Amino acid sequence: MTRAKRLLTIAAFVVGLAVAVAAPATAHEDEKSTEAGVLVRQAIALMVNTPRDTMAVEDKVDDALASEKPAGVNLDLVTAAKEALAAADLHRARALLEVSIGASPHVNDMAVLPVGRTAGPPSDTAAALRLATGEESGTNVAVDALAARRHLDAGTWAVLAALAVMAGAGVALAIRFRPPVPVRALRAGTAEGRT
C-alpha cells in the first residue's frame, strides 16, 4: 500500500468517526419540551424579550395547559394568566406565570435597565440604597438550585474515544513523516551559514 493510499484511508477513517459521533447530537434538535414548568418559563422569557409577540406567548401558555407533565406548576394560575393575556394585561399575566412555578413575581412594569444602571434614588443618596455585593445575587427569584452534570454518558465516552484515536493517529503520522535529518543538525547548519 502506497503512502497516499494510507493517508487517504486514515483521513476517511477520521471523517467517518467524526460523522458517527456527531449524528446522535443532531437527533434531538426538533424535539420540543412537554413539561409545563419549562413551557411556562419559555412564555415568561418571550414576554420579557419580545413583549409584542403575544401569539407566541399564548401558544406557550396553551401548551403548558395541555401538558401531560404539569408537575410543579399551578395550572389554575396559568389559566388566570391566559385570561390576563386575552385582556392584554401583560404585567398581570407575567406575574401570574411567575407565581405559578413558585418564583417571586416581578414588582413593576419597568423595562430591564442596561448593565451598570440601577432603578434606585439619584447617586447623591446612593448610600441609602442597599445593592447586592460580593456573592449575593440581589434577588430571590431563583426557583431551584442548578445540579451539576457529573456523569459520563455514552456520547461523552464516544467523543473521548474519537479524540484518543485522533491523537494516536497524529502521533503516528508525526513519527512516520519526521524529517530524516535531526532538527539539531539543521539548526547547527543554519548557524554555520550565518557566520
Side-chain angles (χ1 to χ4, degrees):
M1 188 182 258
T2 65
R3 182 176 11 163
K5 285 183 180 180
R6 273 190 241 144
L7 285 176
L8 232 106
T9 305
I10 291 172
F13 176 73
V14 170
V15 168
L17 189 60
V19 168
V21 170
T26 59
H28 301 289
E29 285 183 1
D30 295 333
E31 292 182 9
K32 293 183 179 177
S33 177
T34 58
E35 295 179 24
V38 172
L39 293 165
V40 168
R41 285 178 176 90
Q42 290 173 351
I44 294 168
L46 286 170
M47 293 174 91
V48 170
N49 296 314
T50 56
R52 291 193 174 111
D53 190 7
T54 56
M55 288 186 74
V57 175
E58 289 172 2
D59 287 344
K60 291 295 181 183
V61 170
D62 289 339
D63 291 346
L65 287 171
S67 172
E68 296 175 2
K69 299 177 185 175
V73 178
N74 184 337
L75 293 179
D76 294 333
L77 292 174
V78 177
T79 303
K82 181 178 179 178
E83 294 168 2
L85 277 173
D89 188 358
L90 289 177
H91 179 69
R92 178 163 170 67
R94 179 177 163 195
L96 287 167
L97 288 175
E98 289 170 343
V99 174
S100 74
I101 58 174
S104 298
H106 65 287
V107 292
N108 59 24
D109 206 9
M110 275 184 6
V112 179
L113 295 172
V115 174
R117 304 277 173 98
T118 61
S123 60
D124 58 338
T125 59
L129 180 64
R130 168 108 168 62
L131 298 175
T133 59
E135 294 181 0
E136 298 172 3
S137 65
T139 182
N140 59 355
V141 177
V143 181
D144 299 324
L146 293 174
R149 187 176 153 212
R150 300 202 185 277
H151 67 282
L152 296 176
D153 56 357
T156 307
W157 281 112
V159 169
L160 290 174
L163 290 174
V165 167
M166 284 190 238
V171 169
L173 289 172
I175 291 171
R176 171 69 180 96
F177 295 108
R178 70 176 180 247
V181 179
V183 175
R184 288 185 183 143
L186 291 174
R187 284 187 186 149
T190 55
E192 291 174 5
R194 286 184 194 160
T195 58

